[in-house]
Amino acid sequence: MTFIKRIRSIIFTRYQLENKFSNFNSTRMLSNKFLLSLVCTVLFNSFVIAQTTEEPDNSDKIKERSVEAPGAKMHVTKEIWSQVPFEGTDQSWYNGSDRRDSPVLQSKYVNWSILVDANATHSFNNPIDHTVVGSTALARNDEMEVSVAAIGGDFMYGDAHGRIMTQFGTRSTVVPRNDLSVYRGQYDLADVYRYISEAYAGYHFNVWHGINVDGGMFMSYIGLNSYYQVENWEYQASYTSDNTPWFFNGIRVQIFPTPHLKIEPWIINGWQSYGMFNQLPGVGGNITWIPNSNIKLLTNDYYGTDAAGYSGRHRFHSDNSFLWRYFNRPQSHHGVNKMAISLTGDFGFEKGDGVNGFSDGGVNNPAQYFVSWMAYNRVWFAKNKLAWCIGGGWMKNPGRYLVLAPTGDASPFPNPYSPTQAAGTHAFTENAGDQFQGWDCSTNISWMPNQSIEFRLEWVHREASVPYFAGPGGVTSPSGYTYTPLPNTPATPNAWVPDLTTSENRIIMAILFRL
């Protein structure tokens, strides 16, 4: 191998290392970010030494520069450095991103990842059946819950790469239940995919600052927050994030034309769907611009037909976020180390087959749209070991087409064991013209003794314009147990009904581990 070929190999090795650690970000941001160069400092040095010492040293023909990183000094050629997307930017503070500053379980061909998300939450409504309504992060009240237990990693050989992440815990039920595409056709797609959060393979092309072509199941970036709570500033996401997709199933192309810009088109099965609702796939894309370490701007836009059986009903959605670190004093041993805000605004609509977007056409053609925002501020202090976050958001969704439907006897979804029947006998309706507005606020304190673990205590208040959250009577049965018969008869059709309320207060205690 010639020296030039070895330099090429080093360039792509550096790119692989930073790209695969950006893939840890899931993020809704998963696979989109490139961490600080210090993430790869020690590893990159070892690769440079290993791949250049066998050939005669011609390095005097290439200009070099030194890069300072905390605890290390990295010697990098301009040619190598210039090929790394988002080079030199600190992305560890982002809402929805991996905060770690160094890899742990890595080898030449595999970077392993282990995630554990355990929580205990209490609703002051005290539902008798311990069921949480209106959340994809939480499932059970007053119990220790394993939301996510996941293992997987990034795999690479040459320019080929892949990622697989499993998922076990309550999220393997809470998230798939919202996908109605699985009832189209055969093979029980909900069970086929429920224990996989990510599974894709692709190829890297050394063009501009890199092009990746991937196919499979990958994280959605709509709504800013990451699918993995360890990467988010808040545990219970605001409506904007919790009511928008966590994953896509399809093809994406990540294009990095400059060191600060990513353009990523998608062709996908649909809006957080394992299968396809109608005949046309969903299309969309992400544009991310990171001019420096203190600012990030991104937009995600989507177009598709995602109403089951309504092929003429078209959905458009635009999601837009701005993140700004307005204070940064990393070397401070006392007081505040950094402060940052994240702002997200979404709007979208459905139009056709009986609904009319933002315009109200009357009973037979009502408005059906989505408008929302969320804002959070986080402060890090005590050498970045402690952090305090406060924020909230608002949503309006006539037609309720993005509202997370209640479960139990209030569920409007098909009974998975008998799909021709509804799961609930007193279903929360999601008909054209049904109104829904909601707002929420939360605050939390996090203790992060090291990069792999976080302990978080959070308080959340949520409101809805219609009865929505689980009240004292719960949503299951008079006793709270599923084996208790419902006392409803033709003579007494409403002897017992799900107890839904318009507000809830809750506290959350979470342990978030990532290796």
Side-chain angles (χ1 to χ4, degrees), residues 138-175:
L138 303 165
R140 305 281 294 184
N141 291 299
D142 300 323
E143 300 171 3
M144 196 67 199
E145 170 192 345
V146 177
S147 180
V148 173
I151 186 169
D154 297 278
F155 305 82
M156 69 290 302
Y157 180 79
D159 290 332
H161 61 264
R163 178 172 174 82
I164 299 174
M165 286 297 295
T166 62
Q167 68 170 4
F168 302 96
T170 55
R171 270 207 155 182
S172 63
T173 293
V174 170
V175 173

Side-chain angles (χ1 to χ4, degrees), residues 402-454:
L402 294 186
V403 175
L404 293 172
T407 187
D409 196 51
S411 173
F413 295 153
N415 184 329
Y417 304 106
S418 181
T420 58
Q421 298 178 350
T425 61
H426 297 86
F428 179 84
T429 61
E430 296 182 321
N431 301 318
D434 288 348
Q435 298 298 307
F436 188 94
Q437 288 190 59
W439 66 270
D440 59 82
C441 59
S442 66
T443 187
N444 66 52
I445 187 78
S446 295
W447 176 45
M448 300 163 284
N450 62 47
Q451 68 172 5
S452 289
I453 195 162
E454 178 175 345

Side-chain angles (χ1 to χ4, degrees), residues 99 335-339 378-389 444-450 453-456:
R99 68 181 177 87
V336 175
N337 296 108
K338 56 192 172 190
M339 295 186 284
R378 200 182 203 200
V379 180
W380 291 257
F381 49 98
K383 301 180 183 179
N384 293 311
K385 303 292 185 184
L386 295 173
W388 171 62
C389 179
N444 66 52
I445 187 78
S446 295
W447 176 45
M448 300 163 284
N450 62 47
I453 195 162
E454 178 175 345
F455 300 88
R456 186 177 297 176

Side-chain angles (χ1 to χ4, degrees), residues 35-51:
L35 300 179
L36 268 169
S37 56
L38 65 85
V39 173
C40 302
T41 299
V42 176
L43 296 171
F44 181 55
N45 266 326
S46 65
F47 272 95
V48 171
I49 294 170
Q51 300 211 33

